[in-house]
Amino acid sequence: MSEKEISKAVITRLPRYYRYLGELLEDGVERISSNDLSVRMKVTASQIRQDLNNFGGFGQQGYGYNVKYLYAEIGKILGIDRQHNIIIIGAGNLGQAIANYANFEKRGFLIKGMFDINPRLIGLVVRGIEIRSVDDLEQFVKDNDVQIAALTIPKTKAPEIADRLVKAGIKAIWNFAHTDLSVPEDVVVENVHLSESLMRLSYRVCSIQDSEEERNRQSEIME
Amino acid sequence: MSEKEISKAVITRLPRYYRYLGELLEDGVERISSNDLSVRMKVTASQIRQDLNNFGGFGQQGYGYNVKYLYAEIGKILGIDRQHNIIIIGAGNLGQAIANYANFEKRGFLIKGMFDINPRLIGLVVRGIEIRSVDDLEQFVKDNDVQIAALTIPKTKAPEIADRLVKAGIKAIWNFAHTDLSVPEDVVVENVHLSESLMRLSYRVCSIQDSEEERNRQSEIME
DNA sequence: TAGATTGTTAATCGATTAACAATC
DNA sequence: TAGATTGTTAATCGATTAACAATC
């Protein structure tokens, strides 16, 4: 019996639950009800219970959820109880920013290597991680059991590198290049399109401004 | 008559339309039907037509959409025909990565200044942008008509800086800190939670692996 | 036991897709 | 005119919220 498909919306919310539970844990909170959590997170308690029940009954009637237990369970669901070996392709600022973010390692994401085509970067060491030539990519992926590649390179180079990664047996691409990648269906692509994020922000700023101006115009007419 | 509310899902897709239309424009394509575009973008033609018709009738029966015109119109909708003044708070790798991404300026996002608390960074110049002390934040925002602040600082510092920005009159926060911010409702927060993105990726990798293992187990049983 | 709160079913709401008349 | 394709209405699908019996 293949487990029922979990909707994308639920998966998007899981890491946020995980973050809030982690904070509760740090604050020494032992248990929490879906209602209390819903107030903190500004979502409905119904949604929290529905979301969690996709994966099992983690709570207890009359008690709520044990924070430590639920935190661990969501961690398992997200797969951050396992080790993931990562490489970063593109050792520019963005690549280095990722390499320097220590918290990823706490969650089982181990950065095994960085790659670039710039000879001036090759050989440098960032946080103990050597920057290698992209020529050595395939061999390195095979030798180090690398599952995930972060792509922090210009969009022009991304499709070719993605193809090489897929052929080398990578399982997932964390894509920061401003383009869509086409990969076989058993390879995961998670896009982080920063320029699109900034445009959404722009839209929202402008639409607030516009509606304020509209309101002002309306009130002028009323006078 | 306040314009009808546009759903979040539509807004999320707009920048992607904009990107594809930009590419078509570069390739010299003059017109495109919703059907052709839907094939390229791997969405339904229905969805494209519904999405666009939230903002007006940009097409023509029997012809399709004029690429150049539609590109410009979506640009206007997204507000990237206007100028947005941005500051970056946190001049680490991530802040510098954003400062160095030239394409933002092409779309009207002008980086006016960078800020940090690290004395060793203050005074440095990145791509012509001086790194200033966070002490000067409020004055700078007022003097330079800054609307948007990118927050590339640790989560512990983010809420306090966000408060200061709001008081200084900022309109939007592009939040890279791993925490939620609470701001007045006329201030926009666009979150880029990279660690959550990586967890979603992890979930998807693991769920593919698990279902493959499940399949293997099933076929063993069948033998 | 009484009170609290879950897990789960049912009702509602919203988003996506299908269909087709309008029209270029 | 005939063919193509939009804009838009209607049908479907899925996600969210409400409600409540089960139960700790």
Side-chain angles (χ1 to χ4, degrees), chain B residues 113-197:
Chain B
M114 296 180 77
F115 294 84
D116 209 293
I117 48 167
N118 185 344
R120 272 190 282 176
L121 290 174
I122 293 167
L124 291 183
V125 175
V126 178
R127 244 180 125 258
I129 306 154
E130 195 190 329
I131 302 177
R132 294 179 157 77
S133 165
V134 170
D135 296 342
D136 305 334
L137 193 58
E138 284 83 354
Q139 195 58 51
F140 190 90
V141 168
K142 281 160 194 162
D143 291 348
N144 291 274
D145 189 28
V146 177
Q147 299 140 42
I148 303 173
L151 232 57
T152 53
I153 55 177
K155 67 164 182 251
T156 47
K157 310 243 166 86
E160 183 220 318
I161 296 287
D163 282 347
R164 286 175 58 184
L165 287 166
V166 167
K167 283 194 191 108
I170 210 101
K171 293 276 171 279
I173 295 174
W174 198 16
N175 179 35
F176 289 78
H178 301 168
T179 188
D180 293 333
L181 301 174
S182 63
V183 297
E185 67 168 9
D186 62 340
V187 176
V188 170
V189 176
E190 173 81 20
N191 289 312
V192 181
H193 290 323
L194 293 183
S195 59
E196 297 187 7
S197 171

Side-chain angles (χ1 to χ4, degrees), chain A residues 1 6 11-12 15-16 18-20 42 55 77-80 82 84 86 93-94 96-97 100-101 104 107 109 148 171-174 176 178-180 182 185-186 188-190 192-206 208-210 212 214 218, chain B residues 1 6 11-12 15-16 18-20 42 55 77-80 82 84 86 93-94 96-97 100-101 104 107 109 148 171-174 176 178-180 182 185-186 188-190 192-206 208-210 212 214 218:
Chain A
M1 59 104 246
I6 308 293
I11 298 161
T12 303
R16 187 156 179 264
Y18 189 75
R19 175 154 55 86
Y20 273 82
K42 290 171 185 161
F55 304 98
I77 294 164
L78 289 169
I80 53 188
R82 321 185 191 181
H84 299 274
I86 303 192
N93 282 309
L94 191 51
Q96 294 199 21
N100 276 310
Y101 188 61
F104 290 152
R107 304 212 168 129
F109 300 101
I148 302 173
K171 292 276 173 278
I173 295 174
W174 198 17
F176 289 78
H178 301 168
T179 189
D180 293 334
S182 62
E185 67 169 8
D186 63 339
V188 170
V189 176
E190 173 81 20
V192 181
H193 291 321
L194 294 184
S195 59
E196 297 186 7
S197 170
L198 188 52
M199 288 186 218
R200 280 191 288 275
L201 180 148
S202 166
Y203 172 86
R204 291 166 63 200
V205 172
C206 293
I208 286 180
Q209 277 175 2
D210 292 351
E212 274 169 7
E214 178 70 14
Q218 286 298 326
Chain B
M1 55 103 254
I6 308 295
I11 297 161
T12 303
R16 189 156 178 264
Y18 189 75
R19 174 155 55 84
Y20 273 82
K42 290 170 184 161
F55 304 98
I77 294 164
L78 290 169
I80 52 187
R82 321 185 191 182
H84 299 274
I86 304 191
N93 282 308
L94 191 50
Q96 294 199 20
N100 276 308
Y101 188 61
F104 290 153
R107 303 211 169 131
F109 300 102
I148 303 173
K171 293 276 171 279
I173 295 174
W174 198 16
F176 289 78
H178 301 168
T179 188
D180 293 333
S182 63
E185 67 168 9
D186 62 340
V188 170
V189 176
E190 173 81 20
V192 181
H193 290 323
L194 293 183
S195 59
E196 297 187 7
S197 171
L198 188 53
M199 289 186 215
R200 282 192 287 274
L201 180 148
S202 166
Y203 171 86
R204 291 166 63 199
V205 171
C206 292
I208 285 180
Q209 276 175 4
D210 292 351
E212 273 168 9
E214 178 70 15
Q218 286 299 327

Side-chain angles (χ1 to χ4, degrees), chain A residues 145-179:
Chain A
D145 190 27
V146 177
Q147 298 140 42
I148 302 173
L151 232 57
T152 52
I153 55 178
K155 68 164 182 252
T156 47
K157 309 245 167 85
E160 184 220 318
I161 296 287
D163 282 347
R164 286 175 58 183
L165 287 166
V166 168
K167 283 195 191 107
I170 210 99
K171 292 276 173 278
I173 295 174
W174 198 17
N175 178 35
F176 289 78
H178 301 168
T179 189

